[in-house]
Amino acid sequence: MTEPTRIPAPAGVAPAAQYSHVVLGRGRFVAVSGQVALDEHGELVGEGDAEAQARQVFENLRRCLAAAGATFDDVVKLTYFVMDLADLPALRSARAEHIPDDRLPAASAVQVAGLVRPEFLMEVEAFAVLAE
């Protein structure tokens, strides 16, 4: 894939501070299911701790992307599902450890009433595009 094109603020749309409004690329599509804060043994990481859960979620995303031959450089879209919008800074901090500000993907954040298990504070899914 050629380098994804990121358009942080299309004409007539307010600039985005924490994501790109549009990201486009050409190649194979990779969808990564929503990741939660479980370690490789299926144990919860960071009960009640948004920062610890966010770091584990991004580590799981990294591993899933690697299994498809992808990296965070290939990610064009992230979707955040959070129990509490106050946890978004923890997710942004964990994201910043993997994705620099000049390579931000498109993103959506959704506050939800619940996730698959009550101890999960967040879930994040990713979409990437790889060279053919």
Side-chain angles (χ1 to χ4, degrees):
M1 176 184 82
T2 59
E3 178 71 21
T5 300
R6 290 168 174 81
I7 305 170
V13 177
Q18 296 294 327
Y19 59 92
S20 295
H21 279 289
V22 179
V23 180
L24 56 119
R26 184 180 192 103
R28 292 181 298 130
F29 181 73
V30 177
V32 178
S33 293
Q35 297 298 303
V36 293
L38 294 177
D39 66 14
E40 62 272 13
H41 305 291
E43 300 294 325
L44 177 68
V45 172
E47 184 164 358
D49 182 341
E51 289 183 18
Q53 286 199 21
R55 284 191 305 275
Q56 183 64 46
V57 164
F58 271 86
E59 176 59 18
N60 291 348
L61 287 168
R62 185 194 65 74
R63 291 175 179 174
C64 290
L65 289 163
T71 70
F72 280 104
D73 285 343
D74 303 306
V75 171
V76 296
K77 175 77 161 70
L78 293 171
T79 304
Y80 305 99
F81 302 96
V82 295
M83 294 293 295
D84 186 342
L85 293 174
D87 292 337
L88 285 175
L91 279 164
R92 288 182 186 127
S93 177
R95 182 200 63 211
E97 294 175 16
H98 298 276
I99 304 172
D101 285 348
D102 66 341
R103 300 186 58 77
L104 293 175
S108 298
V110 181
Q111 185 173 16
V112 296
L115 294 166
V116 70
R117 287 179 27 190
E119 61 269 29
F120 295 145
L121 302 176
M122 62 199 60
E123 182 172 334
V124 180
E125 64 184 17
F127 299 98
V129 178
L130 294 173
E132 295 180 315

